[in-house]
Amino acid sequence: MSAKQTTLCVPLEVKPESCSRLSSLINDIRIREDKSTPGQENFARIIVNVPTLHFLSMSVFAAGDYDPMFILEANFDGPVGVFWGQMEAALSNDLREIVRCCKRPLDGDGKLYDAVTAPESAASIAAYFEKRTQSPSVFHHGNRGMNRDRILREHALFLTVRRELDAVDTIDADPYRGLEPRPLHEKLRQRVIADHPWLAQVPIQRISASEKAFDVLRLLLYVVILIFILSLPGLLLALLLPTAAYVAFIIVAAVLVAFLIYRKREPLPGTGIPTTFSFLNLLWQQAFVVAAYVIAATLLLVPTVVIGSYLIATLVPHETLSLSEAFWLIAPAVALGLFSLIVTVPLIILRLRYLEMHDSSHDAPQTREHLLREMIRREDWVAQNHMGSIVLLKPGVLRTAVVRAGHLGLGLLLRVQARDGYLGSMRTVHFAHWAFLNNGSRLLFFSNFDHSWDSYLDDFIEKAHAGLTLAWGCGVGFPPTRLLLFDGASHGRRFKNWALASRTVSRFWYSAYPTLTVDQIERNYRIASVLHKQTPSDMEVRQWMLDL
Amino acid sequence: MSAITSNDVLRPAAKGLKRRLMAAAMSAIPFVFRLMRRFYPIAGFGSTYIVTRYDDVREVFGEDAAFTIPYKANLDVLTGGEPFILGMTRTPDYFRQLVALRQVMLADDLPELGRSAEAHAEMIVSAGNGRVEVVDQLVRRVTFDVLADYFGVPEPGIGKLDVWATRLFEFQFASSPSDHALRQEVEEIAPAFRDHIDREIARRKSDAASLERPDVIGRCLKLQAEGEPGYSDVEIRTAMLCMIVGGPPQPPMVVPQAMEQLLRRPEALAAAAEAARANEDDRLWKILREALRFDPLAPGLTRIAAKPWTIAEGTRRARTIPKDATVIAAFASAMMDERRIPDPGRFDPDRLNHEYIHFGHGMHECFGRYINRATLHRMVKPLLRQPRLRRASGPEGHLSKNGPFSERLVVEFG
């Protein structure tokens, strides 16, 4: 069975008068757990008592528009309830004190808050955090399907392999020198398997076939529903107009809207950034989505209509529809509805373009000097870093709908596409997620990544500026965007300033494997995968040797 | 034969259909708990409530001001009205007695207790000629020999310590108020037991040499001589009586239950045997502890609501317990709660400490937990080391119960 990983956050509104105390509490936890002294194991209690945990952070976001917000972010293996049980066992008193610094929820969780914050309370603090947990709107799991134990185990194997190869290099009779790949593999496997007996077992599949199929199905369902909703105006119109008139109307409207978009395609003065990104190419790449829609919609709707007609026939006798009759009734309707998308989608883009042209962007976001210094002080101690950010979202029904639908779609798409351990061409993200806060008026972003924050963002700006603009362009003050995908994050310096201003200090941050990069974990995995096999193919072994 | 001179550790068991029905009911408990956790987690039956989920069981144990222990009335019968921590609420006297006990029962004693338990067990297994009865011949014998010696309470001249202690234990923790026969026996045994300890204290005080013995009574008397409060003769007697009644009767209940669970799981038994042979005591303890999760000491422990209290407040299952209601905190169910225990049906000795509630939780967590931690696995270690350890053929090869007590389990080896 593959490993189920979970990403979540718990946002709790802080009592303004308790904000300093809360920050101190979190600092105290960090000082107590993060020994940072040679010879003492960092975070020993968490390592032992929360063995499912990959990353954990606790931050306090202060803002002028809202009271401070405490956010606990966690990435772990296995069921949520078990994780919170472990957290309670490890940090019960700390978590209870933290909750005492936060406001009593005004929704139905008020009584639970009272129970867990009462003096000498023995009520489950795990239950409170579980109840206040918020799921991400979009998340990415690097090294997907690798549970913490496996990551650590395979890294231990890597170190054994390195020691074995390094040790023999120092003596004259190097038993590996001159060996063909397959005998080398066999010999090395024999040497390391005693210390790593799990190599003799069949490795657990990182992502099971059923999980992959489920991911694809969910994406397909999303696409079908989204396109169906966008097709609805066209479907209704098709019912009112003769087909020829309808088609003519759609074509004329589409040309008109396209013309208007074309007129507004130019960037606002001084905001254009040259890019190699092509929207037409993107559309062409997504051609399968259109085909999938037609197939899925037809497959779903035809049996529904046929079964429905038979059911009705049992109640009110009338002539039932055959399968082919139903098909020829539904398929043209689907096609006509789909055809209307050439108007609906550009119309939405046109409206958004209008909004974009009137957006305000933040040229000089304010940053608090002392926070900046704290952030810098905590960065680059190990291979990984952590960031948390909250931005306000631009208002409006259309934008809200687009952002919500966009996040949902992006999340589903990532599950289908980011299966190889990486986020597209970016090879530095361990766990990242977005979540909507305060009734969707703010957007939270957390990331656990390799290397420094600067290079992390450079990586994004360089390789995924269009995606970044799409995902974050809804933020108040975001650099000027064009047609949702262009410019925006391509303004490297402005984007970085904007992102920096939205960050806060990661007061407590824990990584179960702080020295390992995403790349190294994948490398360890590849090495272990081939060492699992008694007789890998020649090609596999040659490829494997490049990783040693 | 009077209760005092009886040789029968357990009272006669139910027979025939009643026995079979009781056994069936006991074996159905895990399934019933599972249903309750899902559909009726805080179940009320009249003035009795059964709490089955992990969070709620810990809450009941943890809220000791709301849920008090029900032991005082019976305990007074045993001690002649003298107070002991088991019957106390959170008062200064409770903590004074607790400190007094901790001063004479030391962490440094534990390794020797473990060694002694193993050595005693080794002798019994060696003399067994390939066949051992686990409940009485092995675990009860080892427990009472080792702990009576540790406390400094010898066998009485007339009667047997294990019979007395077990009968009083049954009265204290597992009896019904309508069981007049048991009450009658207890009223005979308890004064005799107190008298026996009193005489032993007097004997020790009159013998300067025996005062130096480093057992628990010896340490108490030494502190008494130094004028330390909390160690009067009556206080020492009460403490020794309660420790012997509350402690040694339990290992013969739970260790055979753990053995039975291991015998049902060949892989776990093999792992336990491997740990025993390799002298990996910690590993062996973890295996035994996990085996006990599938059949712990009891389904639950009883508490009495001292005031109205809402368990699981703020959740959909919240339920207000009225004052004076009886609450059964089903820790056996809690240790199987999939909401907090990962894959609870899997035998996994590497579980985390918080996943076990064998010794209760909170203020009244079992005082003897450290002694149990040091000795339980060592009692069966010599047995587990034997080659081809297996059940004896026939019914005696399967653990039989007499009420809450393990009665008989015979294993063979070699």
Side-chain angles (χ1 to χ4, degrees):
Chain A
M1 200 174 176
S2 57
K4 177 182 179 287
Q5 290 160 327
T6 304
T7 288
L8 55 78
C9 68
V10 182
L12 302 175
E13 284 188 83
V14 180
K15 297 172 189 166
E17 67 275 18
S18 301
C19 190
S20 304
R21 172 167 162 63
L22 178 59
S23 297
S24 303
L25 272 174
I26 300 171
N27 271 338
D28 290 347
I29 301 170
R30 182 181 61 79
I31 290 164
R32 192 187 65 215
E33 304 295 338
D34 186 354
K35 303 296 183 192
S36 304
T37 312
Q40 284 186 294
E41 194 176 7
N42 279 3
F43 301 104
R45 241 158 39 113
I46 294 178
I47 290 170
V48 172
N49 291 317
V50 197
T52 54
L53 189 59
H54 289 254
F55 292 91
L56 176 75
S57 75
M58 292 188 235
S59 318
V60 180
F61 288 84
D65 322 270
Y66 289 89
D67 281 337
M69 179 83 87
F70 163 81
I71 299 181
L72 183 149
E73 170 223 8
N75 302 281
F76 55 91
D77 302 317
V80 174
V82 169
F83 164 73
W84 284 119
Q86 293 173 355
M87 284 289 284
E88 175 158 19
L91 299 169
S92 169
N93 293 337
D94 301 310
L95 295 177
R96 207 176 291 277
E97 276 310 303
I98 285 170
V99 174
R100 285 186 176 126
C101 293
C102 296
K103 291 184 190 175
R104 184 183 193 273
L106 299 177
D107 58 14
D109 293 341
K111 282 186 175 178
L112 186 54
Y113 173 90
D114 294 339
V116 298
T117 56
E120 307 286 323
S121 169
S124 168
I125 193 71
Y128 186 73
F129 275 83
E130 205 172 351
K131 203 81 190 290
R132 303 301 293 178
T133 291
Q134 186 160 337
S135 298
S137 55
V138 180
F139 64 89
H140 166 68
H141 294 166
N143 310 118
R144 189 171 158 197
M146 298 281 283
N147 65 32
R148 188 192 83 158
D149 287 348
R150 184 171 184 173
I151 288 172
L152 297 175
R153 195 174 64 203
E154 291 184 354
H155 187 59
L157 171 68
F158 171 78
L159 295 177
T160 307
V161 167
R162 290 305 322 163
R163 273 195 300 275
E164 174 71 14
L165 295 175
D166 290 348
V168 297
D169 277 344
T170 60
I171 56 175
D172 291 338
D174 181 345
Y176 295 103
R177 187 153 294 153
L179 282 182
E180 286 296 307
R182 288 184 74 151
L184 187 148
H185 168 271
E186 196 181 334
K187 193 171 187 66
L188 191 57
R189 188 173 189 273
Q190 278 173 358
R191 295 291 288 264
V192 299
I193 204 164
D195 290 338
H196 303 275
W198 48 271
L199 282 173
Q201 297 165 3
V202 179
I204 295 170
Q205 208 176 3
R206 283 176 62 169
I207 308 170
S208 65
S210 60
E211 192 180 341
K212 286 179 188 170
F214 186 60
D215 287 341
V216 172
L217 270 179
R218 284 196 310 168
L219 179 63
L220 203 60
L221 189 64
Y222 166 82
V223 170
V224 167
I225 292 172
L226 180 68
I227 296 181
F228 180 72
I229 290 170
L230 292 173
S231 306
L232 269 180
L235 278 171
L236 292 175
L237 199 62
L239 286 175
L240 299 173
L241 297 177
T243 304
Y246 170 78
V247 171
F249 176 78
I250 292 293
I251 290 171
V252 171
V255 169
L256 184 65
V257 175
F259 173 70
L260 291 173
I261 292 176
Y262 182 78
R263 281 191 59 188
K264 294 181 184 297
R265 75 190 186 287
E266 293 300 328
L268 295 171
T271 64
I273 300 286
T275 178
T276 54
F277 174 76
S278 161
F279 189 65
L280 285 176
N281 278 347
L282 180 76
L283 273 183
W284 178 242
Q285 285 163 10
Q286 302 306 316
F288 85 96
V289 173
V290 178
Y293 165 70
V294 175
I295 294 166
T298 310
L299 288 176
L300 282 173
L301 290 178
V302 168
T304 308
V305 172
V306 173
I307 291 166
S309 69
Y310 277 108
L311 283 176
I312 291 167
T314 59
L315 299 172
V316 184
H318 76 287
E319 202 177 327
T320 55
L321 291 172
S322 71
L323 199 67
S324 66
E325 283 169 336
F327 179 85
W328 289 115
L329 185 72
I330 297 299
V334 170
L336 288 175
L338 188 62
F339 186 53
S340 73
L341 290 183
I342 64 170
V343 178
T344 345
V345 174
L347 208 55
I348 292 170
I349 292 171
L350 181 65
R351 173 64 187 158
L352 288 172
R353 179 64 188 140
Y354 173 83
L355 294 173
E356 282 176 345
M357 292 173 77
H358 296 82
D359 274 336
S360 300
S361 62
H362 218 155
D363 290 342
Q366 287 184 359
T367 48
R368 273 173 276 188
E369 191 61 31
H370 70 282
L371 283 183
L372 208 58
R373 275 202 301 273
E374 270 298 291
M375 285 188 258
I376 292 167
R377 193 170 69 80
R378 287 164 195 246
E379 260 180 18
D380 294 335
W381 289 89
V382 288
Q384 304 161 354
N385 277 302
H386 176 259
M387 73 164 283
S389 129
I390 295 182
V391 296
L392 290 168
L393 287 180
K394 293 171 183 169
V397 174
L398 181 63
R399 259 200 174 125
T400 303
V402 169
V403 169
R404 292 283 182 152
H407 274 235
L408 184 59
L410 183 60
L412 294 171
L413 189 65
L414 283 180
R415 295 306 283 172
V416 172
Q417 290 195 336
R419 289 172 175 163
D420 60 354
Y422 302 118
L423 180 57
S425 57
M426 274 161 299
R427 301 179 155 233
T428 54
V429 188
H430 290 269
F431 286 87
H433 82 272
W434 272 286
F436 295 108
L437 299 178
N438 303 96
N439 269 351
S441 62
R442 294 205 285 177
L443 183 62
L444 166 81
F445 176 68
F446 273 120
S447 183
N448 299 275
F449 53 92
D450 295 328
H451 316 310
S452 69
W453 181 78
D454 244 348
S455 66
Y456 172 64
L457 280 206
D458 282 340
D459 209 20
F460 262 106
I461 292 165
E462 192 73 23
K463 297 172 181 168
H465 49 85
L468 207 58
T469 304
L470 184 66
W472 240 340
C474 52
V476 169
F478 193 77
T481 61
R482 182 163 50 97
L483 297 169
L484 300 179
L485 299 166
F486 298 97
D487 304 338
S490 309
H491 300 273
R493 182 48 49 200
R494 287 172 79 174
F495 169 67
K496 277 187 178 176
N497 287 343
W498 179 82
L500 186 62
S502 69
R503 285 183 62 190
T504 195
V505 180
S506 304
R507 294 201 176 275
F508 178 93
W509 177 61
Y510 162 80
S511 165
Y513 34 86
T515 59
L516 298 185
T517 61
V518 173
D519 249 345
Q520 182 62 44
I521 292 168
E522 288 302 320
R523 180 185 178 194
N524 295 344
Y525 166 72
R526 290 192 297 269
I527 291 172
S529 295
V530 178
L531 280 174
H532 263 294
K533 296 179 183 175
Q534 266 187 317
T535 50
S537 68
D538 284 345
M539 180 65 87
E540 280 176 325
V541 179
R542 283 178 198 284
Q543 200 65 37
W544 170 77
M545 286 178 69
L546 297 175
D547 277 319
L548 293 178
Chain B
M1 189 183 285
S2 77
I4 293 175
T5 54
S6 171
N7 285 322
D8 298 325
V9 177
L10 303 180
R11 295 192 296 155
K15 288 192 164 45
L17 181 63
K18 186 179 177 187
R19 185 184 177 99
R20 284 202 294 275
L21 286 174
M22 281 170 66
M26 291 299 285
S27 61
I29 284 177
F31 178 68
V32 173
F33 276 158
R34 190 173 179 179
L35 291 178
M36 287 172 72
R37 284 195 302 272
R38 175 71 183 84
F39 299 108
Y40 201 22
I42 305 171
F45 306 98
S47 63
T48 300
Y49 294 80
I50 303 176
V51 176
T52 49
R53 286 198 187 171
Y54 178 90
D55 286 356
D56 304 342
V57 167
R58 283 175 65 100
E59 183 182 344
V60 169
F61 284 138
E63 296 288 354
D64 52 77
F67 299 105
T68 57
I69 35 162
Y71 303 130
K72 187 174 183 316
N74 283 8
L75 200 61
D76 282 346
V77 177
L78 305 192
T79 64
E82 293 299 324
F84 184 66
I85 51 169
L86 186 62
M88 293 180 182
T89 53
R90 193 180 283 269
T91 58
D93 276 348
Y94 169 88
F95 290 103
R96 266 195 292 276
Q97 272 207 10
L98 196 64
V99 170
L101 283 174
R102 284 179 180 162
Q103 279 183 309
V104 291
M105 297 169 72
L106 309 173
D108 289 347
D109 300 339
L110 298 174
E112 182 50 36
L113 279 173
R115 274 192 294 274
S116 179
E118 187 177 332
H120 275 69
E122 184 73 61
M123 281 192 291
I124 292 167
V125 171
S126 301
N129 289 326
R131 183 182 163 89
V132 165
E133 195 285 305
V134 179
V135 181
D136 195 67
Q137 186 190 353
L138 178 65
V139 181
R140 184 170 290 126
R141 197 63 281 132
V142 171
T143 309
F144 276 90
D145 284 352
V146 170
L147 292 183
D149 190 49
Y150 175 61
F151 291 128
V153 179
E155 283 288 335
I158 301 168
K160 291 179 68 185
L161 210 55
D162 55 359
V163 176
W164 290 7
T166 306
R167 206 58 53 85
L168 298 190
F169 176 91
E170 184 180 3
F171 172 72
Q172 177 63 53
F173 296 106
S175 68
S176 152
S178 60
D179 192 344
H180 301 297
L182 178 61
R183 173 78 183 225
Q184 207 172 347
E185 290 190 8
V186 167
E187 283 175 354
E188 283 181 51
I189 294 171
F193 209 154
R194 292 198 295 269
D195 190 49
H196 169 58
I197 300 173
D198 281 342
R199 275 188 276 115
E200 180 61 15
I201 291 171
R203 189 188 70 76
R204 294 285 292 269
K205 284 168 88 169
S206 66
D207 177 4
S210 75
L211 262 181
E212 293 304 313
R213 268 181 60 190
D215 54 22
V216 177
I217 282 193
R219 287 172 188 160
C220 289
L221 292 174
K222 199 171 177 188
L223 289 167
Q224 185 190 63
E226 290 167 4
E228 190 82 16
Y231 299 98
S232 69
D233 285 358
V234 173
E235 284 168 320
I236 296 172
R237 178 241 283 163
T238 304
M240 290 306 98
L241 174 74
C242 292
M243 294 310 297
I244 290 178
V245 170
Q250 294 189 48
M253 297 167 76
V254 295
V255 175
Q257 287 172 195
M259 273 302 297
E260 169 67 31
Q261 293 300 319
L262 291 178
L263 288 164
R264 290 180 188 180
R265 296 171 175 81
E267 279 185 18
L269 183 65
E274 194 183 323
R277 287 180 197 126
N279 273 320
E280 291 175 351
D281 289 340
D282 277 349
R283 182 76 187 151
L284 183 56
W285 161 252
K286 285 182 174 178
I287 293 171
L288 204 75
R289 178 178 69 165
E290 174 68 355
L292 270 179
R293 196 171 61 84
F294 291 87
D295 189 7
L297 178 69
L301 289 175
T302 306
R303 294 287 185 268
I304 303 295
K307 55 186 177 184
W309 186 268
T310 305
I311 299 174
E313 177 72 282
T315 67
R316 279 193 297 180
R317 67 182 185 282
R319 183 150 195 183
T320 301
I321 308 296
K323 186 175 184 299
D324 296 330
T326 299
V327 177
I328 296 169
F331 64 94
S333 170
M335 289 192 287
M336 287 288 170
D337 186 354
E338 60 278 12
R339 288 156 197 80
R340 296 282 179 247
I341 313 297
D343 201 358
R346 187 163 51 93
F347 191 97
D348 177 9
D350 294 321
R351 291 183 182 279
L352 301 173
N353 290 335
H354 77 273
E355 293 170 29
Y356 297 98
I357 321 181
H358 285 306
F359 302 117
H361 169 69
M363 181 181 159
H364 284 288
E365 193 171 359
C366 175
F367 184 83
R369 60 190 180 278
Y370 301 111
I371 293 178
N372 285 325
R373 167 72 181 81
T375 57
L376 293 189
H377 55 299
R378 304 289 287 270
M379 294 179 195
V380 283
K381 186 176 163 188
L383 190 59
L384 288 165
R385 274 203 293 254
Q386 301 307 314
R388 290 186 62 240
L389 180 66
R390 60 196 182 275
R391 296 180 191 275
S393 58
E396 65 180 2
H398 292 80
L399 179 68
S400 60
K401 302 288 276 285
N402 176 347
F405 295 97
S406 294
E407 191 171 47
R408 188 170 172 77
L409 171 64
V410 180
V411 292
E412 294 175 349
F413 48 86

